Amino acid sequence: MAFNHLPAGVHDALVPLSVTPVTDSVPMAKNHRPDRSPAEPGSRPEPGMLLDRLAAGPSRAARITHTEHLPPRAGRHAVWPDRIRPEVLAAVRAAGIEHPWAHQARVAEHALDGDSVVVATGTASGKSLAYLVPVLSSLVDGSEAPNGRGATTLYLAPTKALAADQCRSVKELSQPLGTSVRAAVYDGDTPFEEREWIRQYGTYVLTNPDMLHRGILPSHPRWSSFLKALKYVVIDECHTYRGVFGSHVAQVLRRLRRLCARYGASPVFLLASATAAEPAVAARRLTGLPVIEVADDASPRGELVFALWEPPLTELEGEKGEKGAPVRRTATAEAADLLTDLTVQGMRSITFVRSRRGAELISVIAQERLAEVDRSLPGRVAAYRGGYLPEERRALERALHSGDLLGLAATNALELGLDISGLDAVVIAGYPGTRASLWQQAGRAGRSGQGALAVLVARDDPLDTFLVHHPEALFDQPVESTVLDPDNPYVLAPHLCAAAAELPLTEEDLKLFGPACEELLPQLEAAKLLRRRTRAWHWTRRERAADLTDIRGEGGRPVQVVEDGTGRLLGTVDAGAAHTSVHEGAVHLHQGRTYLVRSLDLEDSVALVEQATPAYSTVARDTTAISVLETDVEVPWGDGRLCYGSVEVTNQVVSFLRRRLITGEVLGETKLDLPPRTLRTRAVWWTVTEDQLDAARINPEILGGALHAAEHASIGMLPLFATCDRWDIGGVSIPLHPDTLLPTVFVYDGHPGGAGFAERAFHTARDWLTATRETIASCECDAGCPSCIQSPKCGNGNDPLHKRGAVRLLTVLLRGAAEAG
């Protein structure tokens, strides 16, 4: 039997559960009582006092394991370069900014010199203004050209919300400049009647990499006048372009540079990033160009109080009935309480949560509890996540800006750059996967320079538990480097086809796309995707080459969620998540309403739902098999082996559980008939021999549980060593694997071709598995719990698991590693 632990959101492949069951969100800690009372209007406590109030709240059996105080910092001013147009400087002063911070002036200087530059400073440090001032100056210069469009700028954002927010900011700042600056958003929500005007007259066009890939580059003749005048390309929040998505974006940018050269342009790239390790290295890999780094943050900062918060144990037990491990109150429930308390006190706050369903749950729970205090308060809290219709997103963004909303439960769609000023607090429900993301979310608070509070609420999960008890892993470590691999053949191949469809691909172009082209082009010719004629490769098919790949790796068309009977479109679900989240019989949440999925049509990408009030939640179950295709590296660990190479993973969602809302009791299991998915990717795996099992006192009865427990915990700990989160990776543990003929544990990248995570695990294996062993051994539970070896997305329902066996097994394995080292 194989025990599996799967990644989320993989292309044409596997996607396990990424859902926080409703069941775990409702139970309250002992002695919980809604005795909140509204705060005095206008009162605003200091961050430390606000934390004390939250800690003394009605349900607080939780404990604050650590509080970090980040002191305030004074700002350092400079002067703008004298080459900036005076009209632009006047517009900046009219916006209330007399002098730039030192890093803003440096970025502007490099931009005017024609140097590509990345500004990597903290949240709310004025990165946008740093690149906007030289950009607006060049657009004003360009407006004096005979056609009125002698210079253009392309702005790329990872989300539609950020592009829309930036467009508002640009229009406000450039209002005194009249028609010299014509800013417009060009994305999937842009009405068709506006698109031609933007192509012909827009000077500052804001879009996203997806639209650039599918809409702008394939139609480049219609954009010729824009591309011919392209002076700057702004890449905002560039640290988000990591892993497979980042690798795709890197190739899209190379296609853009190639077409610009065809039209006689050589744009300067201006990149903005949250604080990251080696931002210039990542920016250079992303753009393919030399990039100068500006990372000395000269902006002022208010005090930030950062608390680590561990929810209390409940009287519930895990999935194993009477012998089940104690379960902590979930981060979802705890965060909903904190959001409630902050709203009652009149504090403006955002609660970040990992899943779309979690965002919905937190807002619903908070609204219910607020209604008990003041009937006017529930309307001041809402959810914000991907999959909403454009008009819903825009309405929420307006309400947040205006202050009509006090509290928001959001996915990381709001983590990025939206200019949300004056927030008092940020609650982070579960470690977001990387330190970079953690600080990005925490930085949303206190944007006006005043003090602010950030609270990380730990999930019942090995990594979260480790972090709240080892604060040095968060506060004493640098943020991660951004990892991406443009040479990944699964990424590069479709972009070579797309480039050839845009313009025949020549030998000279190959240097731009990287050394892997030489090996790939013959394969693309053999597959009859490209044909070589004289000195160039041509696209041979009638369909669009840009449709060969989905750059976000979401596996095709989103599934539309449609209300049965009315035909109303409620929203969308990523294709990769459809098997687990909108299968027939699934419970689906949307803006506080509950629906039951009546049918899922994978061919037409439609899920029909109807409103209902089931007294249960649903959790998908799946099976996984893995085969070794090629072993690239193999090193001895004692008698065992540590390996890295290529694997093929086959996954199938086979059933779902219905679980009672209040108690989490399993009410029944329903079989599903969904097609299997396969994924070719990269993996790290380790084997143990019979002698090692004897040394670890592992008999056949507990072998499966020991391997399974070690697999779960190692996946939970890998984000500490690789730039990923546990939803990017999967795992399988097998007592006798047919390819290795030994007990084997696999951990693999959840993306076609790999994303670099398993490779990083291989190179840090001793430290990674040592931390895994320590986490299991130091957990205070008796037989294993979500804090150490139970997984929130286990396809086998966390059965079997053997905590002590896993500790003994890893001890022997690591002893062999030390001897081999």
Side-chain angles (χ1 to χ4, degrees), residues 128 159 166 233 278 365 373 391 394 402 432 448 487 571 585 671 701 739 781 802:
S128 298
T159 65
Q166 285 294 306
V233 176
E278 302 180 308
I365 295 167
V373 179
E391 54 269 27
R394 301 290 176 265
S402 67
S448 299
D487 296 326
K671 300 294 181 190
E701 288 73 29
D739 294 329
C781 72
H802 199 286

Side-chain angles (χ1 to χ4, degrees), residues 411-444:
T411 59
N412 62 2
L414 268 186
E415 174 183 321
L416 307 172
L418 257 68
D419 185 15
I420 308 160
S421 58
L423 288 182
D424 301 298
V426 164
V427 177
I428 302 166
Y431 181 59
T434 64
R435 287 182 293 275
S437 195
L438 180 79
W439 288 109
Q440 184 77 352
Q441 292 181 1
R444 294 291 99 193

Side-chain angles (χ1 to χ4, degrees), residues 73 121-127 237 273-275 297 299-301 415 417-418 439-447:
R73 178 185 64 207
T121 52
T123 309
S125 59
K127 292 188 288 286
E237 306 289 356
S273 170
T275 305
D297 192 339
S299 64
R301 183 184 67 196
E415 174 183 321
L418 257 68
W439 288 109
Q440 184 77 352
Q441 292 181 1
R444 294 291 99 193
R447 288 179 66 99

Side-chain angles (χ1 to χ4, degrees), residues 344-555:
V344 166
Q345 295 185 48
M347 300 292 105
R348 294 188 68 200
S349 67
I350 288 181
T351 298
F352 284 107
V353 60
R354 300 290 299 280
S355 70
R356 293 179 176 189
R357 186 183 181 98
E360 295 280 0
L361 280 169
I362 286 175
S363 69
V364 167
I365 295 167
Q367 286 166 356
E368 288 176 354
R369 293 177 184 170
L370 287 167
E372 299 171 4
V373 179
D374 183 334
R375 299 187 74 174
S376 69
L377 287 177
R380 303 199 70 184
V381 169
Y384 186 103
R385 60 169 177 80
Y388 282 168
L389 300 178
E391 54 269 27
E392 291 175 321
R393 283 201 306 271
R394 301 290 176 265
L396 285 167
E397 288 159 19
R398 283 194 300 272
L400 190 61
H401 276 279
S402 67
D404 290 344
L405 280 177
L406 271 179
L408 209 57
T411 59
N412 62 2
L414 268 186
E415 174 183 321
L416 307 172
L418 257 68
D419 185 15
I420 308 160
S421 58
L423 288 182
D424 301 298
V426 164
V427 177
I428 302 166
Y431 181 59
T434 64
R435 287 182 293 275
S437 195
L438 180 79
W439 288 109
Q440 184 77 352
Q441 292 181 1
R444 294 291 99 193
R447 288 179 66 99
S448 299
Q450 77 271 18
L453 173 67
V455 180
L456 171 62
V457 180
R459 288 170 302 167
D460 210 356
D461 164 278
L463 181 56
D464 285 37
T465 302
F466 179 87
L467 291 172
V468 295
H469 291 285
H470 295 81
E472 67 280 0
L474 292 177
F475 299 112
D476 297 345
Q477 296 292 323
V479 295
E480 303 84 356
S481 299
T482 304
V483 178
L484 58 114
D485 177 18
D487 296 326
N488 180 337
Y490 289 82
V491 169
L492 178 56
H495 289 287
L496 289 175
C497 292
E502 288 151 10
L503 283 175
L505 200 59
T506 66
E507 293 273 5
E508 291 73 36
D509 294 327
L510 302 188
K511 285 181 285 188
L512 179 66
F513 290 101
C517 292
E518 192 175 333
E519 188 179 333
L520 273 179
L521 285 169
Q523 296 178 39
L524 295 173
E525 288 182 71
K528 295 186 166 41
L529 291 168
L530 296 182
R531 179 180 300 149
R532 187 167 190 176
R533 297 179 190 150
T534 63
R535 299 184 62 244
W537 286 268
H538 297 253
W539 172 244
T540 63
R541 304 288 185 91
R542 301 180 73 172
E543 62 265 30
R544 284 164 40 97
D547 292 339
L548 281 177
T549 188
D550 176 348
I551 67 172
R552 291 185 192 262
E554 288 166 354

